[in-house]
């Protein structure tokens, strides 16, 4: 660590005006080589730690649902300040470079290839199992790798695939592996616009069916609808997600036959919106499709003032069927954090995605159920399971899982006693939302120690002794919220006790260790490639 500190002290930003053009170009190239060498150190350390923690397959922890690999990835994600998935990726790369591709690892350490190139090579060679063939592929790729930097990712995969096919046709990447990449991602924009992006890779047949259904629903409006074709398609996807077969027309004719009841938007799927009182009790700016304030036929995106709704702050009720069953996971309820001091008109979805006030106004006008949040009392509840009102408060306060970097929405999390009950009270100061994976990690892995505070702040200590702090989502997104809930006199939050011999809870178990599952997948893919080659005479 001290070596790296001295290195970056020597790289203090100079006055760039004194550099010639050639010197600036050389400095950029030198930094690229330095970044590759740093990545080699990072991958090596992550691989060594992963090998130490996950090398044994005959331990009870190897079959745990949250196993040693997941626990190590969580610890590294905290240390690196990144998500757990990215930390796990570096563990995979580190092991592959250490155990399978030493020449490629040497090129990365010398700064001659980029971390992205090394990562693609690690993935493209994962089906090679024979050590002699693997060494030959490593040597051949090392001779070419320095020239791979100018290739795109797809070109790089194709070149590496050609080398792998010459040495071991059964190790080629096939369409079956590409099909495993099917996914759907939902990216919520954090700019307060209330928008989100949806991206998916699916079977072509499913994509065509979705495309046709989207076009059909988008075509149910009248010709006077002011939205563009693309806007209607986007709104049609939302209608399909809500279980509707038609899209509400946005024209200004109140007698338009294509208009449907907007309240039908929430008949099948329920979302929870956490709002401050000012969002629903003061005059709001409501966006009208195709309208400007005071005139008709204008572009989308402007606003007109609409009267306030009833003097209440609230949210649509959460769907209990969307919450994972757990003894500490009562049915979610609507919640609004009270704001007695400051009351900016703000609202957020569970998960911390900010909504504009005009969108909340439209939801309320469309019939969304509004319910104020009841602040919890100072006295702890005398039982293990939090009451529905207390659970609603904790979810509205936290908004997301309270582990570092985790963005699982609070209504999909367990409500956990940070200090186990009955040593820790059923009180907001001792309760927090944790997703199932991090709930299991905190409960069963020694060394993870949370220290709760009355305002909802949690100080975590990792097994390596590092400490980090997480704040409730409402602290940032609902700045007027008062989340300070101190314990009454005579109560205190003590250090969590270690599990004793009578500890009866058990970690959910896997059918087989993660490493064996990985090996069997590789062998199954090789067997499929061999069968295909036998039938057709060529690699997949």
């Amino acid at each position: 660590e001290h070596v790296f500190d001295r290195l970056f002290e020597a790289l203090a930003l100079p006055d760039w005006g004194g550099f010639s053009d050639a010197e600036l170009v050389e400095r950029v190239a030198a930094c690229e080589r330095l970044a590759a060498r740093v990545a080699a150190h990072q991958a090596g350390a992550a691989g060594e730690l992963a090998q130490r923690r996950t090398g044994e397959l005959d331990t009870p922890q190897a079959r745990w649902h949250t196993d040693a690999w997941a626990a190590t990835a969580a610890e590294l994600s905290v240390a690196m300040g990144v998500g757990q998935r990215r930390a796990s990726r570096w563990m995979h790369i580190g092991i592959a470079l250490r155990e399978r591709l030493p020449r490629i690892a040497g090129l990365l350490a010398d700064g001659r290839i980029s971390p992205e190139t090394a990562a693609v090579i690690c993935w493209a060679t994962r089906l090679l199992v024979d050590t002699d063939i693997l060494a030959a592929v490593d040597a051949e790729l090392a001779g070419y790798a320095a020239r791979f930097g100018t290739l795109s990712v797809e070109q790089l995969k194709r070149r590496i695939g050609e080398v792998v096919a010459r040495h071991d046709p059964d190790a080629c990447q096939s369409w079956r592996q590409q099909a495993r990449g099917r996914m759907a991602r939902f990216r919520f924009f954090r700019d307060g616009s209330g928008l989100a992006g949806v991206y998916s890779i699916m079977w072509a047949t499913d994509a065509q069916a979705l495309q046709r259904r989207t076009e059909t629903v988008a075509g149910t409006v009248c010709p006077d609808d002011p939205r563009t074709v693309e806007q209607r398609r986007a709104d049609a996807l939302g209608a399909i997600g809500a279980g509707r077969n038609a899209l509400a027309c946005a024209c200004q004719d109140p007698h338009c036959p294509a208009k449907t009841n907007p309240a039908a938007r929430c008949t099948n799927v329920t979302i929870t919106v956490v709002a401050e009182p000012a969002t629903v009790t003061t005059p709001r700016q409501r966006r009208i499709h195709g309208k400007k304030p005071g005139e008709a036929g204008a572009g989308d995106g402007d606003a007109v003032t609409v009267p306030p709704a009833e003097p209440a702050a609230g949210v649509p009720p959460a769907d209990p069927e969307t919450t994972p069953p757990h003894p500490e996971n009562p049915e979610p309820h609507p919640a609004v954090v009270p704001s007695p001091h400051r009351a900016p008109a703000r609202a957020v979805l569970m998960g911390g995605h900010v909504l504009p006030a005009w969108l909340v106004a439209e939801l309320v006008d469309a019939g969304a159920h509004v319910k104020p949040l009841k602040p919890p009392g100072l006295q702890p509840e005398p039982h293990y399971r939090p009451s529905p009102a207390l659970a609603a408060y904790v979810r509205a306060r936290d908004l997301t899982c309270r582990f570092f970097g985790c963005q699982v929405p609070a209504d999909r999390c367990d409500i956990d006693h940070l200090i186990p009950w009955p040593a820790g009270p059923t009180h907001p100061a001792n309760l927090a939302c944790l997703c199932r994976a991090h709930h299991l990690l905190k409960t069963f892995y020694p060394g993870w120690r949370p220290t709760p505070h009355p305002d909802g702040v949690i100080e975590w200590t990792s097994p390596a002794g590092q400490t980090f702090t997480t704040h409730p989502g409402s602290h940032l997104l609902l700045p007027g919220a008062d989340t300070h809930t101190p314990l009454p006199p005579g109560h205190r939050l003590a250090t969590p006790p270690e599990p004793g011999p009578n500890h009866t809870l058990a970690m959910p178990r896997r059918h087989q260790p993660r490493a064996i599952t990985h090996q069997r997948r590789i062998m199954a893919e090789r067997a499929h490639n061999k069968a295909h080659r036998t039938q057709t005479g060529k690699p997949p």
Side-chain angles (χ1 to χ4, degrees):
E1 181 178 356
H2 298 299
V3 172
F4 279 108
D5 288 342
R6 291 197 300 270
L7 172 63
F8 287 107
E9 287 176 3
L11 290 176
L13 291 179
D15 180 12
W16 298 113
F19 285 72
S20 66
D21 291 356
E23 290 173 333
L24 291 174
V25 172
E26 177 55 34
R27 180 59 64 96
V28 171
C31 289
E32 187 70 16
R33 293 191 296 271
L34 178 61
R37 302 183 70 175
V38 171
H41 280 264
Q42 188 176 37
E48 173 65 24
L49 183 63
Q51 196 69 23
R52 291 181 185 180
R53 299 279 185 86
T54 64
E56 300 293 333
L57 298 180
D58 55 352
T59 61
Q61 290 83 356
R63 291 180 179 268
W64 281 8
H65 180 272
T66 302
D67 57 2
W69 184 278
T72 304
E75 188 173 353
L76 284 180
S77 71
V78 173
M80 298 168 63
V82 299
Q84 193 165 327
R85 185 172 182 176
R86 184 175 176 184
S88 179
R89 176 176 180 265
W90 276 108
M91 292 162 61
H92 280 292
I93 294 173
I95 290 179
L97 293 177
R98 280 165 44 89
E99 306 294 335
R100 297 167 55 83
L101 302 166
R103 290 182 174 85
I104 297 298
L107 292 178
L108 182 64
D110 291 339
R112 296 176 59 192
I113 62 174
S114 67
E116 293 76 14
T117 299
V120 173
I121 292 175
C122 291
W123 167 253
T125 57
R126 71 183 192 90
L127 295 184
L128 293 170
V129 295
D130 185 275
T131 55
D132 294 334
I133 294 178
L134 185 59
V137 171
D138 182 29
E140 185 170 348
L141 289 177
Y144 298 142
R147 293 175 289 176
F148 283 163
T150 60
L151 301 178
S152 66
V153 174
E154 292 303 321
Q155 292 173 328
L156 180 58
K157 289 180 179 179
R158 191 158 51 246
R159 294 288 180 86
I160 298 172
E162 293 170 355
V163 175
V164 171
R166 286 201 305 271
H167 291 271
D168 187 355
D170 295 341
C172 293
Q173 305 285 344
S174 68
W175 66 267
R176 286 165 55 90
Q177 292 168 315
Q178 297 178 12
R180 289 202 190 100
R182 300 190 309 279
M183 56 84 179
R185 292 177 182 168
F186 303 86
R187 177 175 174 241
F188 294 85
F189 301 149
R190 297 183 178 274
D191 56 1
S193 63
L195 298 175
V198 181
Y199 178 72
S200 178
I201 296 178
M202 61 179 69
W203 295 114
T205 51
D206 294 337
Q208 190 173 70
L210 180 61
Q211 179 187 25
R212 292 184 179 179
R213 177 159 173 76
T214 301
E215 292 173 349
T216 300
V217 173
T220 58
V221 298
C222 79
D224 294 330
D225 186 282
R227 290 169 289 190
T228 66
V229 173
E230 296 299 330
Q231 290 172 345
R232 288 198 299 270
R233 287 175 180 170
D235 293 347
L237 277 176
I240 294 171
R244 294 192 293 155
N245 296 319
L247 183 63
C249 187
C251 72
Q252 301 306 309
D253 183 3
H255 304 292
C256 173
K259 284 186 176 292
T260 58
N261 181 13
R265 178 180 303 185
C266 299
T267 53
N268 294 66
V269 177
T270 303
I271 62 170
T272 301
V273 178
V274 183
E276 291 190 328
T279 308
V280 292
T281 59
T282 59
R284 300 178 300 275
Q285 295 296 313
R286 179 181 177 186
R287 180 172 300 182
I288 304 297
H289 291 293
K291 290 285 186 178
K292 282 185 179 178
E295 65 182 67
D300 179 46
D302 293 291
V304 296
T305 301
V306 298
E310 297 181 0
V315 296
D319 186 356
E321 294 182 359
T322 64
T323 306
H326 192 272
E328 292 188 343
N329 197 17
E331 295 183 359
H333 285 263
V336 177
V337 179
S339 178
H341 306 298
R342 276 198 311 149
R346 301 195 71 181
V348 292
L349 286 171
M350 285 293 179
H353 312 297
V354 179
L355 300 179
W358 64 263
L359 181 56
V360 179
E362 289 191 349
L363 291 173
V364 174
D365 293 344
H369 177 59
V370 177
K371 183 177 180 180
L373 175 71
K374 180 181 178 181
L378 294 180
Q379 292 294 331
E381 295 185 351
H383 38 71
Y384 171 75
R385 182 189 294 270
S387 65
L390 178 55
Y393 176 86
V394 173
R395 295 185 194 280
R397 180 197 67 188
D398 291 350
L399 295 178
T400 64
C401 171
R402 294 300 307 282
F403 195 82
F404 178 84
C406 186
Q407 296 297 318
V408 175
D411 54 0
R412 291 167 48 193
C413 293
D414 303 332
I415 295 182
D416 177 49
H417 288 76
L418 295 174
I419 298 176
W421 192 85
T426 304
H427 185 273
N430 188 46
L431 298 176
C433 295
L434 291 176
C435 70
R436 184 58 52 86
H438 292 130
H439 189 176
L440 294 174
L441 181 74
K442 170 254 176 186
T443 302
F444 291 99
Y445 273 91
W448 287 106
R449 188 173 69 254
T451 302
H453 293 271
D455 59 351
V457 173
I458 304 175
E459 293 180 4
W460 291 86
T461 302
S462 71
Q466 296 177 314
T467 59
F468 59 97
T469 302
T470 64
H471 296 263
S474 57
H475 279 193
L476 174 65
L477 299 174
L478 298 170
D482 182 8
T483 63
H484 191 71
T485 52
L487 284 166
H491 292 78
R492 65 186 184 90
L493 296 176
T495 303
E498 294 294 332
N502 297 324
H503 187 72
T504 57
L505 293 178
M507 168 77 82
R509 295 174 63 83
R510 299 169 176 266
H511 294 296
Q512 59 191 11
R514 182 192 299 258
I516 294 179
T517 301
H518 180 68
Q519 293 171 1
R520 289 184 175 179
R521 285 177 179 171
I522 289 178
M523 300 311 297
E525 194 65 39
R526 288 181 57 86
H528 171 79
N529 291 346
K530 183 177 181 179
H532 181 276
R533 185 165 53 87
T534 302
Q535 294 174 1
T536 63
K538 55 185 179 181

